[in-house]
Amino acid sequence: MARHGEASFGEGNDFVKKGGNTLKVPLLDLRKQFESIKDEVVAVTEQVYESQQFILGPKVEDLEQKIAEYCRCKYAVGVSSGTDALLISLMTAGVGSGDLVITSPYTFFATGGSIARVGAKPVFVDIDEHTYNMDPEKLEEAVSSIKRKDRPKLKAIMPVHLFGQTADMEPVLELAKRHGLCVVEDAAQAIGAEYEFKDGAIRRAGSMGEYGCFSFFPSKNLGAFGDAGMVTTNDADLYERLKMMRGHGAKPKYFHKIIGGNFRIDALQAAILSVKLKYLDHWTKGRIENARRYRELFQTAGVKEITLPLEKEKRHIYNQFVIKVRHKRDELRKFLDSKGVGTEVYYPVSLHNQECFQYLGYGNGDFPASNRAASTTLALPIFSELTADQIFYVVDSIKEFFSTGH
Ligand SMILES: *Cc1c(COP(=O)(O)O)cnc(C)c1O
C-alpha cells in the first residue's frame, strides 16, 4: 500500500475479479485520471522542454493566477511542497525561536513539524470528535492556560482543514484578532473547500487567514507529478515577501534582504497542475457523489458499528472519506485488505505522542479526542473514478465483516 512520501498511485488492474468474488478496490488509483488527460499533459510538458525554462517563469505565474482565482483570494506563490508552504509562511510571518504556535495534534506531521523547524513550540488544542478539526472551545481554554508572562510569545494559530472540510474558522479568526495572532491555514487537504460565516459570507479554504498553505502531493485532490505546493494571501506586502523568501530572500538577485531558502516550484509541475486544475471541480464532484453513495448504501445495509463522516461546513471536498470504527478497527482493516479493499489510518499516532515531540512535555491523556480518533478512524477509497460496483463492494465487505461474528 502506498505510504506518504513513498507513493505510487496506480495499481494497474484495479477492476479485476481475482478468483472467487474479490474485486480489487485500491485506496487511490490515479491511472484512469491520467489516461483521460494524457495528451494534454504530454503537450504542456513538451512546451516546457522546448522553452528550457525550468525554474519559475510564465508557467508558474499562470498557475499562481489560476490558483488565486480558484481559492478566491488575491495572490498565490508557488512553492516546492505543502510542507514548505507551511514553513515559508511561518518564516515570512517572523515566527521563530521561543515563539508559540497553536495547532491541532491530529494531523499530518508537517503541521507540527514546520512549527518546530522555525524554532517555535507547538501548542496543541484537542479536536472536535465529529469533524476532527480543532475545537474552538478548547482553543479559548488553551490560550487562557498559557502563563501571562508567556502570552507575548504566542504568535500564530495554524488551523488544519482535515480530510477536506474546513475548520470552524469564525471563532479562530475572532480569537486571532483579539490576541493579535497571525493565522496560517493548513489547507493541504482542502483545496476548494468552503466555509460559511454567520452573516452568510462564504469563503474558500486558504483565503481566510493571512496565509493559506496548499499541497499538490499526488494524493491530494489536485495532485502534481511529484512534490509541489502553494501559499495564498490577500496581502500585497506578504505576497512580495513570500516571493522573496522563496528565492533566498533576494531582491534583486544576489542582494539578500532577508534569510530565505530555495522553496521554488518546478515549471514542469506548474504546467501539469494548470492542465489538471481545469478538471478539479469535476473530480471533486465525483468524490462528493461517491460520499453520497456510501451514505446511502451504509444506511440500506444497516451497518451500526461504524459512524459516517459528519458534513458540518459548507463544502466538504472529500480528500478522504473517513469512517469511525468503534471496535476492531485494525481487524476490519485486515479483513478488507484480504478482500482486496485498500484503506488507511490517518493518523495512527497524534503529534503529542510522537517520539520527536516528547520534549514538549505533553502526557498521553492530554488530548483524548485526538487519541480516540487515532484508534478508531479508517479512510475508505473515495477517488472520483471509483465505480458504483466498487463502492457497493466496499460497503458489502464491511457489512460481511460485522455480520460474521466479528
Ligand atoms: C499533505 C499534507 C501536508 C504536507 O504536504 P506535502 O506536499 O506532502 O509536503 C501538510 N499538512 C497536511 C494536513 C497534509 O495533509
Side-chain angles (χ1 to χ4, degrees):
M1 193 164 301
R3 283 184 297 151
H4 192 96
E6 195 187 287
S8 155
F9 300 108
E11 313 227 331
N13 54 343
D14 60 302
F15 197 159
V16 177
K17 292 200 177 214
K18 311 187 297 193
N21 56 353
T22 309
L23 185 62
K24 243 193 155 201
V25 192
L27 180 64
L28 178 61
D29 183 357
L30 291 171
R31 196 171 294 271
K32 267 187 232 163
Q33 188 190 77
F34 175 58
E35 292 300 335
S36 73
I37 55 167
K38 190 169 178 176
D39 293 346
E40 274 184 277
V41 168
V42 169
V44 293
T45 50
E46 266 174 13
Q47 285 172 15
V48 176
Y49 304 147
E50 290 302 333
S51 76
Q52 290 291 300
Q53 166 115 41
F54 297 119
I55 306 291
L56 302 180
K59 293 287 187 204
V60 170
E61 284 164 27
D62 178 55
L63 177 70
E64 289 172 340
Q65 261 174 28
K66 287 174 177 156
I67 293 286
E69 199 175 308
Y70 187 81
C71 297
R72 298 179 192 155
C73 53
K74 288 195 184 136
Y75 311 101
V77 178
V79 295
S80 27
S81 69
T83 303
D84 284 344
L86 296 168
L87 191 61
I88 196 176
S89 296
L90 291 169
M91 288 168 71
T92 303
V95 175
S97 185
D99 289 339
L100 304 175
V101 179
I102 291 175
T103 194
S104 163
Y106 187 64
T107 174
F108 179 59
F109 178 75
T111 316
S114 62
I115 295 168
R117 284 172 65 194
V118 297
K121 190 174 164 182
V123 175
F124 297 126
V125 170
D126 209 1
I127 54 166
D128 172 311
E129 228 167 315
H130 307 291
T131 63
Y132 307 112
N133 285 323
M134 199 192 279
D135 184 334
E137 278 174 32
K138 292 172 193 156
L139 178 62
E140 290 287 347
E141 290 166 26
V143 173
S144 332
S145 70
I146 294 172
K147 290 191 195 85
R148 192 153 292 274
K149 71 165 177 48
D150 290 334
R151 292 275 174 88
K153 295 183 189 159
L154 183 58
K155 296 286 167 62
I157 308 184
M158 191 179 274
V160 182
H161 307 314
L162 205 66
F163 302 146
Q165 175 161 248
T166 61
D168 189 358
M169 287 300 287
E170 200 151 14
V172 169
L173 294 167
E174 192 276 320
L175 178 130
K177 200 170 174 185
R178 209 167 355 110
H179 293 271
L181 309 176
C182 164
V183 176
V184 180
E185 295 176 62
D186 184 342
Q189 300 183 5
I191 190 162
E194 291 172 1
Y195 178 79
E196 184 168 357
F197 288 76
K198 282 196 216 87
D199 67 0
I202 293 166
R203 305 272 295 269
R204 287 207 158 170
S207 71
M208 295 174 271
E210 274 74 32
Y211 306 86
C213 302
F214 293 91
S215 165
F216 304 127
F217 185 77
S219 69
K220 307 291 157 99
N221 283 33
L222 179 62
F225 285 19
D227 281 307
M230 189 76 64
V231 182
T232 51
T233 184
N234 283 313
D235 185 308
D237 291 337
L238 297 185
Y239 171 59
E240 292 303 327
R241 229 177 133 76
L242 282 164
K243 282 195 293 182
M244 223 192 288
M245 196 66 92
R246 158 176 84 177
H248 289 292
K251 197 181 180 180
K253 208 172 173 181
Y254 307 125
F255 291 81
H256 300 267
K257 286 191 167 33
I258 50 179
I259 301 171
N262 175 359
F263 297 113
R264 294 180 300 250
I265 186 175
D266 288 345
L268 264 173
Q269 298 302 345
I272 294 167
L273 286 163
S274 282
V275 168
K276 292 189 72 176
L277 182 60
K278 292 188 287 180
Y279 304 98
L280 178 60
D281 276 330
H282 172 68
W283 292 326
T284 295
K285 271 189 202 129
R287 287 169 180 268
I288 293 169
E289 176 61 17
N290 290 342
R292 196 192 56 74
R293 279 218 179 108
Y294 269 125
R295 287 181 198 282
E296 226 171 69
L297 290 171
F298 274 120
Q299 191 167 22
T300 310
V303 181
K304 302 228 162 34
E305 294 84 353
I306 64 159
T307 307
L308 297 174
L310 177 71
E311 251 189 53
K312 178 170 170 276
E313 306 306 343
K314 185 73 184 167
R315 186 186 189 226
H316 194 320
I317 61 144
Y318 287 103
N319 179 241
Q320 301 295 346
F321 185 86
V322 174
I323 62 168
K324 212 181 303 218
V325 188
R326 284 183 291 282
H327 303 290
K328 305 195 177 170
R329 187 264 320 262
D330 296 338
E331 287 94 325
L332 172 61
R333 187 165 188 231
K334 221 176 271 167
F335 178 79
L336 290 174
D337 185 50
S338 77
K339 300 285 285 182
V341 176
T343 61
E344 187 55 277
V345 173
Y346 300 111
Y347 297 91
V349 182
S350 299
L351 298 191
H352 67 287
N353 282 329
Q354 295 290 349
E355 187 178 338
C356 67
F357 281 142
Q358 288 316 294
Y359 72 93
L360 294 172
Y362 288 110
N364 172 45
D366 287 353
F367 307 103
S370 296
N371 280 1
R372 274 194 295 277
S375 60
T376 58
T377 54
L378 190 66
L380 305 180
I382 191 68
F383 62 95
S384 178
E385 295 76 13
L386 279 176
T387 64
D389 285 348
Q390 286 177 308
I391 296 174
F392 181 85
Y393 179 75
V394 174
V395 173
D396 200 51
S397 301
I398 292 174
K399 185 180 174 171
E400 183 187 340
F401 175 80
F402 288 112
S403 62
T404 49
H406 285 96

